[in-house]
């Protein structure tokens, strides 16, 4: 199987090099094989899944205090900006409480050789139903949104709009923009609350998600790895091998936070297991050297935005 990222052994060597550099220049290291954390520049260029008004834009602006924010049509475009040097960072959705992992976005990440996860943002998701000015709930015959927005609002729509058709859009903001452009009172969008003002729409219903516990995790990506408390690895193997890897993670004093599987594509039963771990250390990385099928995706710290009120 091909190695999609740096092997853990190569990453451990990179860590040691970074630690030596940090000690020699007064940078910060933790003494356990973790590198110094570079400062994120104030003038960073950040590409994200657009258009303006998406939750991804909100996550990007929550993580970065300042910078140039560049909306992109697709996650692949945002990632390509980083690999091509057009952006310093990319921000992409990763997982939702209700909709689960955003698998095509995860696939786009693990397909890249030299892109690392360097941050994570957790946002509360308060989905809002919006339509053109003058529209009412009784007018709505079609609801459009991103696939996650449709999944998150399924129970509410069954109760309040049982006969309305659905239309999947590239993003929640794209859905809001589409409704504004059509001017059709029978079409509504499910999007972030701020999209209503941005696109001149009226709020028809608030909090149409299934639960107030609805949250989405976003990954911040870069071409250069950083230090953090969490780490992401990919194990490209058959299912009977994954247990041994999880045991080693546990024995190294780390905790498995999430695991997702994606078809590896070379044979039946072969998968890419995406493992998110809390408690990244030199001991963990050394232990994972015994598994050549394990590749490194990055380490990071987590920021979470709280619901207001």
């Amino acid at each position: 199987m091909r190695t999609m990222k740096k092997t853990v052994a190569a990453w451990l060597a990179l860590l040691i090099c970074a630690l030596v550099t940090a000690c020699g220049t007064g940078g910060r290291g933790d003494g356990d094989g973790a590198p110094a954390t570079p400062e994120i520049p104030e003038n960073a260029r950040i590409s994200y899944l657009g258009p303006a008004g998406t939750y991804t834009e909100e996550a990007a602006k929550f993580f970065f205090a300042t910078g140039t924010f560049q909306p992109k049509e697709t996650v692949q475009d945002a990632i390509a900006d980083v690999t091509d040097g057009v952006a310093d960072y990319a921000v992409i959705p990763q997982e939702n409480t209700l909709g689960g992992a955003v698998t095509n976005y995860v696939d786009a990440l693990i397909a890249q050789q030299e892109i690392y996860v360097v941050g994570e943002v957790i946002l509360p998701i308060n989905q809002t139903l919006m339509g053109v000015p003058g529209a009412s709930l009784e007018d709505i015959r079609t609801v459009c949104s991103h696939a996650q927005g449709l999944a998150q609002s399924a129970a509410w729509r069954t109760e309040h709009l049982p006969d309305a058709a659905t239309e999947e859009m590239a993003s929640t903001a794209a859905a809001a923009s589409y409704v504004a452009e059509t001017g059709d009172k029978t079409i509504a969008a499910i999007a972030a609350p701020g999209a209503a003002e941005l696109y001149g729409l009226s709020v028809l219903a608030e909090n149409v998600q299934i639960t107030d516990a609805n949250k989405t995790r976003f990954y911040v990506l870069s071409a250069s790895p950083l230090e953090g408390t969490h780490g992401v690895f990919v194990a490209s193997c058959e299912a009977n091998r994954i247990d041994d890897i999880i045991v080693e993670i546990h024995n190294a004093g780390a905790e498995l936070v999430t695991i997702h599987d994606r078809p590896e594509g070379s044979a039946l039963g072969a998968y890419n297991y995406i493992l998110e771990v809390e408690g990244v250390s030199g001991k963990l990385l050394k232990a994972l050297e015994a598994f050549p099928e394990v590749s490194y995706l990055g380490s990071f710290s987590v920021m979470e935005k709280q619901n207001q009120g």
Side-chain angles (χ1 to χ4, degrees):
M1 298 178 183
R2 70 185 186 91
T3 301
M4 298 166 295
K5 303 282 175 181
K6 289 185 184 295
T7 63
V8 175
W11 170 237
L12 185 56
L14 187 154
L15 288 175
I16 294 171
C17 179
L19 180 59
V20 170
T21 301
C23 292
T25 60
R28 180 169 62 87
D30 70 0
D32 192 26
T37 304
E39 292 293 329
I40 293 176
E42 292 185 356
N43 60 344
R45 300 163 299 169
I46 305 105
S47 291
Y48 67 92
L49 177 64
T54 60
Y55 286 106
T56 312
E57 180 189 42
E58 182 180 346
K61 291 184 174 180
F62 180 70
F63 187 89
F64 296 94
T66 60
T68 302
F69 297 92
Q70 306 170 160
K72 297 295 171 176
E73 288 189 8
T74 68
V75 162
Q76 289 82 356
D77 290 340
I79 293 176
D81 276 2
V82 177
T83 58
D84 295 342
V86 177
D88 302 300
Y89 301 93
V91 181
I92 68 169
Q94 195 272 342
E95 182 183 22
N96 176 261
T97 305
L98 305 176
V102 191
T103 54
N104 54 328
Y105 298 164
V106 174
D107 288 343
L109 169 60
I110 63 178
Q112 293 297 324
Q113 292 281 338
E114 298 296 336
I115 290 291
Y116 299 93
V117 182
V118 297
E120 179 180 292
V121 178
I122 301 175
L123 286 187
I125 303 299
N126 302 309
Q127 299 284 18
T128 301
L129 183 76
M130 55 194 71
V132 299
S136 66
L137 202 59
E138 292 72 22
D139 295 324
I140 304 306
R141 298 292 177 266
T142 302
V143 177
C144 57
S145 188
H146 185 270
Q148 290 284 326
L150 294 176
Q152 294 159 24
S153 63
W156 187 93
R157 288 186 290 103
T158 297
E159 180 179 354
H160 298 278
L161 294 171
D163 299 322
T166 59
E167 184 174 350
E168 185 175 327
M169 308 291 284
S171 69
T172 55
S177 175
Y178 172 72
V179 171
E181 289 174 3
T182 63
D184 189 337
K185 289 185 178 182
T186 68
I187 306 175
I190 291 175
E197 181 178 358
L198 182 64
Y199 293 104
L201 300 176
S202 297
V203 173
L204 303 180
E206 297 179 319
N207 297 320
V208 299
Q209 68 276 1
I210 299 171
T211 170
D212 290 338
N214 188 24
K215 298 179 181 181
T216 294
R217 300 196 300 147
F218 300 82
Y219 277 160
V220 181
L221 311 177
S222 174
S224 301
L226 297 183
E227 171 192 356
T229 56
H230 287 59
V232 186
F233 303 87
V234 174
S236 299
C237 59
E238 295 184 353
N240 60 3
R241 183 67 165 159
I242 198 66
D243 286 348
D244 295 335
I245 297 170
I246 293 174
V247 168
E248 283 301 319
I249 291 172
H250 175 76
N251 289 343
E255 179 180 350
L256 184 66
V257 177
T258 63
I259 180 170
H260 303 298
D261 61 89
R262 302 294 300 139
E264 193 271 341
S266 65
L268 293 174
Y271 286 85
N272 291 320
Y273 293 93
I274 299 94
L275 308 168
E276 187 169 319
V277 175
E278 184 176 7
V280 175
S281 66
K283 181 179 179 181
L284 170 64
L285 296 172
K286 189 69 176 176
L288 291 180
E289 281 189 64
F291 299 90
E293 61 267 55
V294 176
S295 302
Y296 173 75
L297 280 180
S299 62
F300 55 92
S301 296
V302 178
M303 297 176 62
E304 181 167 0
K305 184 175 183 178
Q306 302 299 322
N307 252 325
Q308 310 239 332

